[in-house]
Amino acid sequence: MYRTHTCGQLRIADVGTEVKLAGWVQKVRNLGAMTFIDLRDRYGITQLVLDENTPAEVREAAAEVGREYVLQAIGTVRERSSKNAKIATGDIEIAVTTLTILNRSEVPPFTIEEQSDGGDELRMRYRYLDLRRPPLQRNLMLRHHMAQSLRRFLDNEGFLEIETPFLIRSTPEGARDFVVPSRMNAGEFYALPQSPQTFKQLLMVSGYDRYFQIVRCFRDEDLRADRQPEFTQIDCEMSFVEQEDVLEVFERLAKYMFSETLGISFDYQFPRMPWQEAMARYGSDKPDIRFGMEINDLSAEAKGKGFVVFDSAEYVGGIVAKGCADYTRKQIDELTEFVKRPQVGAKGLVWIRLAADGSVKSSIDKFFTAEELQAWAGTCGAGAGDLMLILAGDRMKTLAALNVLRLEMGDRLGLRDPHKFAPLWVVDFPLLEWDEETKRFYAMHHPFTSPKPEDIPLFDTDPGAIRANAYDFVVNGVEVGGGSIRIFDSALQSRLFETLGFTHEEAEKQFGFLMNAFKYGAPPHGGIAFGFDRMCSVFGGADSIRDYIAFPKNNAGRDTMIDAPAPLADAQLDELALRVEKPAETK
C-alpha cells in the first residue's frame, strides 16, 4: 500500500501508531537541526518531522524535496509540542523513518495555496494545478454532494434517470447550435443539444411519467461569468401534472437541497411573483429579494412639468438608497458614469437628497419645487437621510437599468449577503416576445410551452398578451431553474408554430417527429430544468460558475490548457468532405 491513512485523517488518538502517508509537498521548512514538511492531499495537510533521530539517508532525501514533489512517508504519529488549530491534524505530526520521492516537480507557475498569486488566464492554462487548491477542491466536493443529494431525492420521488442522445438534429430556435459533421453522411451534420427538450417530451409519450437526467448541454453563444459553451442541467419531466404539481415537487427538492447541503431550513412556501410584478418592482424577471430598494413609478408625478427629459420619456422610475443623503458629489458622479455604461444603458441620472434637517436638494431644482420633490419622496417611501436615484426613458430599458443600479447600490451598501438566501418562483411569463427587427414573434421560453388556457382566444386578437404556463426558480437574483407545462395537443402546437412564423412544411421538417408522436396519445405533461453549475455557485456563495466546473472554457470559449478549439488536418477535412474558408473580414 502506498498509504494507510490520508493527510487529513490522523488525530491525537492515533499517537504511537506507525503509518504510511502519500501526497504532495505543500511547504518545506529547513531549520538546520530539524526539517518540517507539510504533506497535502485532497483530505488535508499533515506535518512531517525530521530531526537528529531521523536516519541520515532520510535527511539526505528530504534535502532534495521541493514544492509539489510527490512523496511517500513512513513514520510514527506523535503529539505536536506546538499545535496548529488552523488544520484538523494540528495536534499531531509524523516522526519520519522512511521517505520516498515518488515523483519530482518543477517549480509551479503559481502558488498552490488558499489564495493564489496566479491570474485567471495562468490558472486556466494550468488548470490541473489550480484544481489542487483547497477552494476548488471544496467547490467540486460541494458539486459532488449536491449531485448525490439530487439523485437520492428524485429516486425517492419515483423519477427514472434516462439518458438522451448528444448527436441530434439542429433546431433554428434559441441559441446557436454547435454542429458536428457526419463522415458517413457526407454534407450532413448533427447538432449538440441545447437541452433534451424534445426527447423528454417523447419519454412522456412513451409512458415514463417521471424522468430526470443530470445532463450536459451545449450552446454556441457569447460568454460571461455565468455562462459556458457546455454546461450541466438537472433535467426533469412529469406526466399528468399541472403547474402547481410541478412547483410543489421541485420546491420540496430545493428545500431538501438547502437542508442537506447547507443545513438551512425554510418553513414557509416560497413567494410566487407574476412576471409583470417582478418587472415593475425590480426591473428584472430574476429579482434579488434579499433587500428592499424596490423601483417606484414616478411617471405621473414627474411628467408635464416642463422638464424635457421626463416629458419625452415613456417612463420615469426611481429607487431609494436608505441613509445615503450624505453621498458626496464625487460619489454621485461615479453613479452617473456607472448608469451611462453600455451594459446599463441610461443617458443620465437624476438625484434627490433628503437631508436629515428636512431640506431637499436635487439635480432638478430648477424644474420642481421642494414640495413636489417631497411628494415624490412620499410615493417612494423615502425619508430624512435618504437618497433618491431616478432614471427615465423607454419603460422596459429604464426598468432594466434601474435593476442594474439597484444591484450596484445593494453591493455598495453590503445588502447582498452571499450566505443569505431568498428563493422565489416567477410565474405568468409572456408566451411570446416581439422582435422589431425581424417583425415576428419568438417564443420567450421555447415553442412547446403551453399558454394559459384562458388566454388561448388571444391568438386571434393580441398574441403578445398571452401568458405562458411557465415558471422560473430564482435565488438571490440568479435564475437557477425554469420550466413550463407543455403543449400536448397537436392542433394547439400547430397554432403556436403558425404564430411564430413557421409554415406547415417548416414545422413538419423541424418537429415532425414530435408532432407525429402526439398523434398516438400524448399525456398532459410539464417539467423543469435547473442549471446545475449555477445552483452550485449560488449554494457556494460565488458569482461565477467557472470554479464549480473542473475544466471550464475562458470568456472566448477556449480551453487554454489543451488549446481547443484547434484546426483540423487536411486529411481529416477531406474525410469529412469539408473545406475551410477564412472569415470574410480576414480574407
Side-chain angles (χ1 to χ4, degrees):
M1 291 187 296
Y2 277 107
R3 60 186 182 182
T4 58
H5 298 77
T6 70
C7 293
Q9 190 174 356
L10 297 168
R11 299 292 187 270
I12 196 74
D14 298 300
V15 168
T17 306
E18 185 176 76
V19 298
K20 294 180 185 178
L21 299 182
W24 288 263
V25 173
Q26 178 73 23
K27 190 181 297 181
V28 179
R29 300 183 300 285
N30 190 333
L31 306 181
M34 299 183 76
T35 299
F36 297 94
I37 299 173
D38 288 347
L39 195 67
R40 182 197 74 238
D41 60 16
R42 75 174 176 91
Y43 303 95
I45 291 175
T46 297
Q47 179 173 278
L48 311 181
V49 182
L50 299 91
D51 54 24
E52 65 276 5
N53 297 317
T54 306
E57 66 273 15
V58 176
R59 294 202 302 272
E60 287 171 12
E64 299 180 36
V65 168
R67 280 179 178 263
E68 301 308 311
Y69 273 48
V70 185
L71 303 182
Q72 182 197 54
I74 302 174
T76 303
V77 182
R78 71 186 188 192
E79 185 173 1
R80 283 177 67 160
S81 57
S82 177
K83 294 180 171 58
N84 183 354
K86 294 182 180 178
I87 59 175
T89 60
D91 290 341
I92 59 95
E93 60 192 12
I94 309 301
V96 178
T97 55
T98 303
L99 190 72
T100 304
I101 297 175
L102 300 174
N103 216 328
R104 288 169 167 76
S105 172
E106 295 182 9
V107 177
F110 52 84
T111 56
I112 299 172
E113 303 274 2
E114 186 79 24
Q115 297 293 330
S116 176
D117 57 0
D120 284 350
E121 284 302 313
L122 184 64
R123 289 188 292 109
M124 288 280 284
R125 183 179 173 191
Y126 295 94
R127 186 65 169 182
Y128 46 85
L129 296 180
D130 199 26
L131 286 169
R132 294 181 186 175
R133 294 175 52 236
L136 271 76
Q137 290 179 337
R138 289 194 296 270
N139 291 349
L140 292 185
M141 284 189 277
L142 173 72
R143 183 184 178 106
H144 163 77
H145 290 307
M146 289 180 67
Q148 302 313 306
S149 295
L150 283 160
R151 284 190 163 96
R152 279 195 300 273
F153 178 90
L154 292 169
D155 179 55
N156 288 336
E157 292 287 325
F159 285 80
L160 298 177
E161 186 168 9
I162 304 173
E163 293 178 339
T164 54
F166 275 179
L167 296 175
I168 65 169
R169 182 189 180 95
S170 181
T171 56
E173 293 289 310
R176 284 183 295 272
D177 290 324
F178 283 103
V179 295
V180 181
S182 170
R183 178 186 58 81
M184 293 183 290
N185 301 275
E188 296 185 323
F189 297 81
Y190 299 106
L192 300 180
Q194 296 181 34
S195 80
Q197 182 61 50
T198 53
F199 289 98
K200 65 183 179 183
Q201 290 192 255
L202 289 171
L203 286 170
M204 297 303 104
V205 175
S206 302
Y208 297 90
D209 64 319
R210 291 195 167 198
Y211 141 93
F212 87 97
Q213 187 179 186
I214 299 179
V215 60
R216 295 294 266 180
C217 301
F218 308 86
R219 291 178 186 169
D220 185 8
E221 59 186 352
D222 295 335
L223 304 184
R224 54 177 187 248
D226 63 343
R227 282 186 181 171
Q228 284 280 302
E230 51 182 322
F231 57 96
T232 304
Q233 276 188 187
I234 309 154
D235 199 52
C236 307
E237 197 79 2
M238 305 167 70
S239 291
F240 305 111
V241 291
E242 296 178 336
Q243 177 172 300
E244 189 57 37
D245 300 306
V246 178
L247 299 192
E248 189 276 330
V249 170
F250 291 100
E251 181 163 321
R252 283 196 291 110
L253 169 63
K255 290 177 177 177
Y256 176 83
M257 294 300 296
F258 275 111
S259 176
E260 285 286 300
T261 308
L262 302 176
I264 295 173
S265 297
F266 294 92
D267 58 0
Y268 59 87
Q269 185 184 75
F270 296 152
R272 298 181 184 185
M273 188 179 297
W275 180 85
Q276 292 284 5
E277 180 184 340
M279 296 305 298
R281 291 172 59 189
Y282 298 98
S284 171
D285 57 9
K286 46 183 184 291
D288 187 344
I289 61 172
R290 281 174 293 181
F291 64 107
M293 210 181 293
E294 294 183 16
I295 296 169
N296 301 276
D297 187 348
L298 293 168
S299 303
E301 292 91 336
K303 297 177 72 169
K305 303 293 184 178
F307 183 45
V308 67
V309 173
F310 288 171
D311 290 349
S312 62
E314 178 188 4
Y315 175 86
V316 181
I319 59 173
V320 177
K322 294 288 184 183
C324 293
D326 59 352
Y327 260 38
T328 64
R329 188 55 190 252
K330 180 182 178 183
Q331 287 174 297
I332 291 175
D333 287 345
E334 285 175 357
L335 288 175
T336 302
E337 290 306 309
F338 174 80
V339 301
K340 289 180 179 179
R341 293 178 185 177
Q343 60 267 40
V344 185
K347 293 181 180 178
L349 175 69
V350 171
W351 54 268
I352 302 172
R353 273 201 197 99
L354 303 166
D357 62 8
S359 62
V360 180
K361 178 68 178 173
S362 82
S363 55
I364 50 173
D365 285 340
K366 293 180 182 179
F367 301 94
F368 299 92
T369 67
E371 290 74 19
E372 287 174 320
L373 297 181
Q374 284 284 11
W376 294 15
T379 299
C380 297
D386 295 342
L387 177 67
M388 295 174 61
L389 302 170
I390 300 167
L391 302 178
D394 172 84
R395 182 175 183 271
M396 296 307 291
K397 289 180 180 177
T398 304
L399 284 170
L402 282 165
N403 168 60
V404 179
L405 177 59
R406 174 181 177 269
L407 297 179
E408 174 69 13
M409 292 304 298
D411 285 333
R412 293 188 181 204
L413 299 175
L415 302 176
R416 304 181 71 199
D417 181 353
H419 303 295
K420 177 183 176 183
F421 298 93
L424 77 153
W425 293 100
V426 178
V427 297
D428 295 351
F429 283 81
L431 180 70
L432 307 166
E433 53 187 342
W434 179 256
D435 185 281
E436 270 301 324
E437 192 174 324
T438 58
K439 302 296 182 187
R440 55 161 285 198
F441 283 110
Y442 287 86
M444 195 162 189
H445 279 73
H446 55 66
F448 313 107
T449 300
S450 173
K452 294 281 186 184
E454 61 270 28
D455 288 356
I456 290 175
L458 293 173
F459 272 109
D460 297 322
T461 57
D462 188 5
I466 300 172
R467 293 168 302 156
N469 243 335
Y471 32 84
D472 279 358
F473 182 62
V474 177
V475 182
N476 295 359
V478 177
E479 179 197 327
V480 175
S484 67
I485 299 301
R486 322 301 187 190
I487 296 171
F488 66 97
D489 174 73
S490 297
L492 181 57
Q493 186 68 72
S494 296
R495 195 169 190 184
L496 180 56
F497 282 149
E498 220 174 278
T499 305
L500 292 171
F502 285 90
T503 65
H504 176 75
E505 291 73 22
E506 288 170 335
E508 186 65 32
K509 184 178 179 182
Q510 293 293 332
F511 306 110
F513 63 94
L514 184 63
M515 303 299 287
N516 285 334
F518 283 179
K519 296 174 184 176
Y520 295 95
H525 59 284
I528 193 168
F530 293 93
F532 187 43
D533 313 298
R534 286 187 187 179
M535 182 183 279
C536 292
S537 67
V538 168
F539 276 52
D543 292 328
S544 171
I545 66 174
R546 183 183 289 175
D547 285 343
Y548 292 83
I549 299 171
F551 299 102
K553 308 292 187 290
N554 67 12
N555 287 342
R558 295 197 65 84
D559 185 330
T560 55
M561 183 183 69
I562 62 172
D563 195 23
L568 289 180
D570 288 343
Q572 289 176 282
L573 292 172
D574 291 342
E575 197 172 36
L576 295 167
L578 294 177
R579 184 178 71 242
V580 176
E581 292 187 358
K582 291 182 179 179
E585 63 270 20
T586 62
K587 280 186 178 179

